[in-house]
Amino acid sequence: MDRERRRFLRLALAAGVALPAAPLLAGCRATPRSGASEARTRFAHGVASGDPLADRVVLWTRVEPDGAGPLQVRWRVARDPDLRRVVAEGSASAGPERDFTVKVDARGLEPGATYYYGFECAGERSPLGRTRTLPVGACPRLRLAVTSCANVAFGWFTPYADLAERADLDAVLYLGDYLYEYQNGVYGDGTSLGRVPAPDRETLSLADYRARHAQYKADPDLQAVHRQHPAIAVWDDHEIANDAWQDGAQNHDPAGEGPYAARRSAAVRAWREWMPVREDDMPADPAARAPRIWRGFRFGDLADLLMLDTRLEGRARQAASPTDRAALADPSRSLLGAEQERWLFARLSGSRRDGVGWRLLGQQVLFSQIRTADGTIRNPDAWDGYPAARARVLDHLRRDGVQGVVVLTGDVHSSWALDVAPDPFDRAGYDPGNGRGALAVELVTPAVSSAAPGRDPADARAREAEWLRLLPHLRWLEFWHRGHLLLDVDRRRAQGEWWHVDGVERRGEPARFAAAFATRAGANHLEPVDAPSEPREDAPLLAP
């Protein structure tokens, strides 16, 4: 099915037009619920895959229970959408201890291959999913989508729908704020759209976080993108509470909301249950410490994707204010923690020695230096609030000669393209014209649906112009539209493309190309590109 046909179907669904049921496993159609219209109930939260490796991938679903007891769920992976050329299959138990979610690590797969998968429980089949393993050896091209900040109360997840229509993506990155913890009206009011957060209270308990995950996974556009592409996800603060750190959060009051450790444990447990992430390196008890979500994915000889945890693993408490000079000058304050730092430096250097072309850092908060006219930092929750930690990363890049680093960032609900230099305000050390002195580049994805920084388009344009005047390393900035970032990589260059939607108040708004910037191999400097990259012509079929 071509992209225009898929867009027509999506717009028809948004308008309430009835369409034929899509085929499921082995050409079968959905099993209707008794006493209801042609609606599926057992797999109401869809299917997902994630954490692909060269020989395996995590498969996920949830089954609606009949009662308190466990259910047996069969799964199957095949080379074809009809699930006839089976390469792996098995069964798993879905019980109340994991909220009836199912997660299996399908093994024995071939590298760089597309597969189709599905589940079956009590005679009912799930939607058909599609996934892909990592390549090994020569890898000529890589296409990743980058997303962040989806808030159900602010609108529809329209950017996800656009990604579900792209057949040539290798994976979709979720850089945190996959969901939000607030009750309705605190940060976004979904009443008029019928998108009130569930439960309609701030999430505190395990039951609360599970219910919020369930609401998000019921969204049709989020289901669509998960069904078509493997996910590589990390959390940020709103999966727990706003401005979280190792031992607390701005949006947590122990006096009225209980111990932070209990809340964090509940949030982390629900995240593990409901996300298609591999749990091999996560402790069985999430209260013991923050589970390790920092991990690496190698795309052949082309790119190492290193996913970081800048939120729970080793983050010291945020500075009290942007002018808290004592905290900002303290070299002991960490954002990653010592263990994660050592791992990151080893992976960066090992990747360089192995001859891998690019190093992609998937992480949550702005890495580059953002200062106001008087030199004050803008946001102590970002890397600006941990300058010694950032300096250690940049020092390692410089000392070890690590090139080709692209920092991928979410969190700020806007689109940024920046050169990364140790001191971008020192013209002797950094030349914004040619990038001399820069050590990396940073690409920031806009929000999926969360509020944009501008109060209105005119305010957004004025604020963009002011930051472009103040920041010599800022190549481009857009403060109004939601959307996603597309990263297209080959041996010569890494190109970031911003795709925006005109609004999220209605489903079905098409995504449009907004801007593109590329960095050439070895340049560490972004240059504008006039047009988006060409899609792959040989992309495997999307799941029907």
Side-chain angles (χ1 to χ4, degrees):
M1 185 183 298
D2 63 29
R3 202 168 172 207
E4 288 305 311
R5 170 65 174 160
R6 287 183 173 274
R7 177 159 289 148
F8 166 77
L9 293 176
R10 177 158 56 85
L11 291 171
L13 287 169
V17 177
L19 296 172
L24 296 175
L25 308 193
C28 295
R29 297 191 180 274
T31 304
R33 189 173 18 171
S34 74
S37 58
E38 303 292 313
R40 191 185 305 111
T41 58
R42 183 71 74 178
F43 295 95
H45 299 98
V47 299
S49 69
D51 279 8
L53 298 177
D55 65 343
R56 69 197 67 179
V57 66
V58 172
L59 307 180
W60 176 96
T61 193
R62 181 183 185 271
V63 293
E64 291 291 338
D66 296 320
L71 294 166
Q72 283 301 115
V73 182
R74 292 200 54 80
W75 58 271
R76 180 179 297 175
V77 180
R79 298 180 183 276
D80 62 306
D82 289 329
L83 299 189
R84 300 192 187 280
R85 298 165 59 198
V86 177
V87 298
E89 59 185 331
S91 63
S93 178
E97 70 282 356
R98 291 185 65 93
D99 202 17
F100 293 91
T101 61
V102 176
K103 193 184 298 187
V104 298
D105 212 351
R107 301 175 181 239
L109 309 181
E110 294 183 0
T114 295
Y115 292 96
Y116 302 85
Y117 65 93
F119 298 86
E120 184 173 352
C121 179
E124 187 170 340
R125 298 179 177 92
S126 75
L128 181 68
R130 171 183 178 269
T131 191
R132 187 168 178 81
T133 53
L134 300 188
V136 297
C139 179
R141 191 179 180 192
L142 171 65
R143 279 169 74 82
L144 299 173
V146 186
T147 69
S148 178
C149 303
N151 187 324
V152 70
F154 273 111
W156 295 96
F157 297 161
T158 303
Y160 287 149
D162 180 71
L163 296 179
E165 296 170 352
R166 295 179 179 269
D168 63 347
L169 299 179
D170 292 285
V172 175
L173 310 189
Y174 299 84
L175 298 184
D177 296 347
Y178 181 92
L179 50 71
Y180 281 71
E181 82 277 21
Y182 298 113
Q183 71 182 72
N184 194 50
V186 173
Y187 185 59
D189 187 338
T191 304
S192 64
L193 299 174
R195 292 174 70 81
V196 172
D200 189 5
R201 59 177 178 270
E202 187 171 318
T203 52
L204 294 173
S205 68
L206 177 60
D208 291 342
Y209 284 104
R210 282 172 166 175
R212 193 64 57 88
H213 274 278
Q215 179 186 29
Y216 276 65
K217 281 291 201 304
D219 181 271
D221 295 326
L222 180 55
Q223 284 194 16
V225 70
H226 272 311
R227 198 165 69 87
Q228 299 294 353
H229 307 297
I232 300 177
V234 288
W235 56 52
D236 197 13
D237 52 342
H238 290 292
E239 283 89 344
I240 303 98
N242 183 56
D243 283 0
W245 56 288
Q246 201 171 30
D247 298 315
Q250 176 274 329
N251 188 31
H252 182 78
D253 177 12
E257 296 175 330
Y260 173 73
R263 180 177 188 175
R264 188 186 75 174
S265 177
V268 166
R269 179 173 173 180
W271 188 86
R272 290 169 57 172
E273 293 169 350
W274 281 83
M275 296 297 290
V277 294
R278 187 171 286 106
E279 299 184 28
D280 291 353
D281 294 320
M282 298 183 184
D285 178 11
R289 68 173 180 87
R292 173 179 163 172
I293 63 168
W294 37 279
R295 58 209 193 278
F297 301 87
R298 178 164 289 189
F299 293 83
D301 64 356
L302 183 58
D304 254 354
L305 171 64
L306 307 178
M307 301 294 285
L308 305 182
D309 181 359
T310 64
R311 186 54 63 184
L312 295 185
E313 170 68 24
R315 178 190 277 262
R317 187 170 189 170
Q318 294 88 343
S321 75
T323 58
D324 185 353
R325 300 190 183 280
L328 298 178
D330 184 352
S332 69
R333 295 177 67 252
S334 174
L335 193 62
L336 300 179
E339 184 183 1
Q340 186 178 185
E341 271 193 15
R342 288 192 296 268
W343 172 85
L344 172 62
F345 298 165
R347 286 294 299 252
L348 288 168
S349 296
S351 174
R352 178 191 60 78
R353 289 192 300 269
D354 291 346
V356 177
W358 299 91
R359 279 138 290 281
L360 316 175
L361 303 187
Q363 56 95 53
Q364 295 85 342
V365 293
L366 266 171
F367 187 86
S368 299
Q369 299 179 41
I370 310 298
R371 299 180 188 169
T372 59
D374 63 359
T376 302
I377 67 168
R378 178 69 178 84
N379 181 10
D381 187 60
W383 284 84
D384 268 341
Y386 303 81
R390 177 173 55 203
R392 289 192 293 271
V393 175
L394 294 177
D395 286 347
H396 181 81
L397 299 184
R398 182 175 53 237
R399 283 196 314 268
D400 209 47
V402 178
Q403 300 282 328
V405 176
V406 180
V407 182
L408 303 172
T409 300
D411 184 61
V412 290
H413 307 179
S414 44
S415 304
W416 305 61
L418 305 110
D419 290 347
V420 177
D423 185 355
F425 304 97
D426 175 12
R427 295 302 177 92
Y430 166 71
D431 185 341
N434 59 23
R436 178 185 53 81
L439 299 176
V441 300
E442 182 171 16
L443 309 174
V444 183
T445 185
V448 170
S449 67
S450 296
R455 292 188 298 271
D456 53 53
D459 174 65
R461 299 292 88 80
R463 295 175 65 182
E464 292 160 11
E466 179 65 8
W467 283 118
L468 286 163
R469 183 183 67 80
L470 290 173
L471 304 177
H473 53 308
L474 178 58
R475 312 294 294 155
W476 182 71
L477 175 62
E478 211 280 349
F479 260 170
W480 182 244
H481 291 94
R482 278 79 131 208
H484 62 79
L485 173 71
L486 181 68
L487 184 67
D488 189 277
V489 182
D490 59 29
R491 297 295 293 194
R492 299 174 299 103
R493 60 91 178 103
Q495 178 167 315
E497 304 170 10
W498 287 265
W499 291 79
H500 290 162
V501 297
D502 286 335
V504 292
E505 295 77 21
R506 296 183 303 166
R507 277 192 75 201
E509 290 286 349
R512 56 176 177 77
F513 172 70
F517 280 77
T519 177
R520 290 175 285 108
N524 303 322
H525 174 59
L526 288 171
E527 298 174 339
V529 178
D530 292 334
S533 55
E534 290 294 326
R536 285 191 180 120
E537 295 182 355
D538 59 346
L541 290 173
L542 289 167

